């Protein structure tokens, strides 16, 4: 009898020691589900206070310039904040880097001899033109324009991109995650390609969205030490054009123009010693949105693009707004506060790098989107989303650029589960689909239009020129 009771005691103590040990470990993850944390002494120890937002957000009242504050005080300016719209917070105080340049260019969209251009940098969240296709479509409906902007020389994510059909032959691509990738050779898309003699790109328009159905200009971007000739057969060879590069070692643009282009075959001749980056399909005016999505990218690798290359691109492809949207490959509940502080420093370098090449362009930092995970308590937003979102607002504030809280615009806490339940996102609780992208694009455009309205009011009040 005593021996039996002793065995029960030993087993109980073993279980207790195991649970006590588990109390000091992070909650395990099995099959993508984060299990509930074990706290065997939870009922007798003081409750631990957890700060889900350990990064302090900047004071938004500091965003206003002195002139704006005076105009508000004397009644000359009243800010427009439509109900249900997540507003863009501009920390540039009316100086370069804020949103004023972009709004000013939209005002001049019909007078410009080029489109107003947006470069949207992101990770797998915008892969295959998700979200950007509807952002582009909505802006083109409002301000004009056509075409889908930038495409790379090879399919990559274009293979599943419904906004264009691309068949290419004779290209060898070099991507950042490859061992033989040369950082000094990359373009503003963080890639480069080498082409065999006679390499071809066959591009066909799509009816996925109205703006994707045709384009008016095709710009081919390359760099090399020797001249390269590109032959363009347009709309089933009804028109043929040829352009030859100078081969002066810097980034060049070869431009082809024709009304209502729906199909094009590009043939590259004299390719030895040349690097190709991609082509851009757009209208002569209106708005263009270039999708620079790169799977697995944390964002700060953009600072590895040589500044000379960025400046050369600025001369041949000016941008009016850079959207910087990263975070899914950075966020983790296990990261300490110091991790996010270091991340801010690295992203500040990236923004500074962009501003060196495009000093007048507007820069808009997006917060990370909602990301949820399965836990013992069901599907919940990762706690680190709040920390990273606050860090990204600090990044915008310290860099004197603008910030858009995408997490808040999606609906905040638990919004990704709502997107999944409604069929707007994948069941990884991380990535949206085209239906989700359409809804988020509408929220972004509403924020941009509200910001532009405030810009117009500031002009009328004499706050901005």
């Amino acid at each position: 009898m005593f021996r039996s009771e002793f065995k029960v005691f030993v087993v109980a103590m073993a279980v207790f020691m195991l649970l006590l040990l588990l109390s000091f470990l992070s909650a395990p993850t099995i099959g993508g589900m984060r299990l509930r944390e074990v706290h065997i002494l939870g009922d007798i120890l003081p409750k631990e206070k957890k700060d889900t937002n350990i990064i302090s957000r900047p004071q938004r009242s500091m965003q206003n310039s002195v002139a704006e504050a005076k105009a508000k005080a004397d009644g000359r300016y009243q800010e427009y904040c439509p109900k249900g719209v997540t507003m863009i917070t501009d920390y540039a105080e009316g100086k370069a880097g804020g949103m004023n340049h972009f709004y000013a260019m939209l005002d001049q969209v019909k007078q410009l001899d080029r489109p107003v251009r947006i470069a949207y940098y992101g990770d797998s969240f915008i892969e295959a033109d998700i979200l950007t296709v509807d952002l582009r479509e909505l802006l083109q409906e409002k301000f004009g324009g056509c075409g889908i902007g930038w495409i790379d020389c090879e399919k990559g994510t274009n293979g599943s991109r419904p906004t264009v059909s691309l068949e290419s032959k004779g290209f060898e691509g070099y991507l950042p995650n490859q061992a033989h990738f040369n950082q000094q050779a990359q373009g503003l898309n963080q890639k480069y390609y080498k082409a065999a003699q006679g390499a071809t790109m066959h591009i066909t328009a799509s009816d996925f969205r109205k703006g994707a159905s045709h384009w008016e200009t095709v710009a081919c971007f390359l760099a090399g030490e020797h001249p390269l000739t590109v032959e363009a057969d347009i709309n089933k060879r009804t028109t043929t054009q040829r352009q030859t590069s100078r081969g002066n070692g810097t980034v060049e643009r070869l431009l082809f123009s024709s009304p209502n282009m729906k199909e094009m075959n590009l043939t590259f001749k004299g390719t030895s010693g040349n690097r190709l980056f991609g082509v851009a399909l757009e209208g002569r005016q209106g708005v263009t949105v270039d999708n620079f999505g790169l799977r697995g990218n944390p964002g700060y690798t953009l600072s590895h693009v040589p500044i000379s290359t960025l400046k050369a691109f600025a001369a041949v492809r000016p941008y009016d707004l850079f959207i910087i949207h990263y975070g899914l490959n950075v966020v983790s509940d296990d990261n300490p506060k110091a991790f996010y502080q270091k991340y801010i420093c690295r992203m500040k370098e990236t923004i500074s790098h962009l501003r060196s090449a495009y000093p007048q362009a507007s820069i808009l930092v997006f917060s990370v989107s909602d990301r949820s995970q399965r836990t013992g308590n069901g599907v919940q937003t990762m706690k680190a989303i709040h920390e990273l979102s606050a860090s990204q607002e600090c990044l915008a504030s310290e860099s004197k650029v603008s910030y858009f809280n995408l997490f808040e615009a999606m609906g905040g806490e638990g919004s990704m589960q709502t997107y999944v339940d409604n069929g707007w996102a994948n069941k990884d609780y991380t990535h949206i689909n085209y239906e989700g992208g359409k809804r988020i694009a509408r929220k972004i455009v509403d924020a941009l239009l509200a910001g532009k309205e405030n810009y117009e009011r500031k002009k009328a009040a004499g706050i901005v020129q």
Side-chain angles (χ1 to χ4, degrees), residues 230-234 239-243 256 264-267:
V230 181
E231 182 175 282
D233 293 318
I234 303 169
T239 304
T240 298
Q241 300 178 16
R242 293 178 182 84
Q243 297 284 351
F256 305 92
M264 170 170 279
N265 193 75
L266 298 171
T267 304

Side-chain angles (χ1 to χ4, degrees), residues 6-66:
F6 179 74
K7 286 182 178 179
V8 172
F9 174 77
V10 170
V11 171
M13 286 300 298
V15 171
F16 175 78
M17 294 303 295
L18 177 61
L19 293 175
L20 185 63
L21 176 63
L22 290 174
S23 298
F24 293 97
L25 301 177
S26 298
T29 301
I30 299 177
M33 183 176 78
R34 191 179 182 90
L35 302 182
R36 185 177 299 176
E37 293 182 351
V38 176
H39 291 294
I40 189 65
L41 302 178
D43 289 336
I44 61 175
L45 292 177
K47 299 295 183 182
E48 179 184 359
K49 293 183 179 180
K50 292 188 177 182
D51 185 0
T52 59
N53 188 9
I54 58 176
I55 306 292
S56 298
R57 291 184 182 271
Q59 292 292 324
R60 295 192 176 185
S61 60
M62 299 299 292
Q63 66 176 295
N64 300 326
S65 65
V66 174

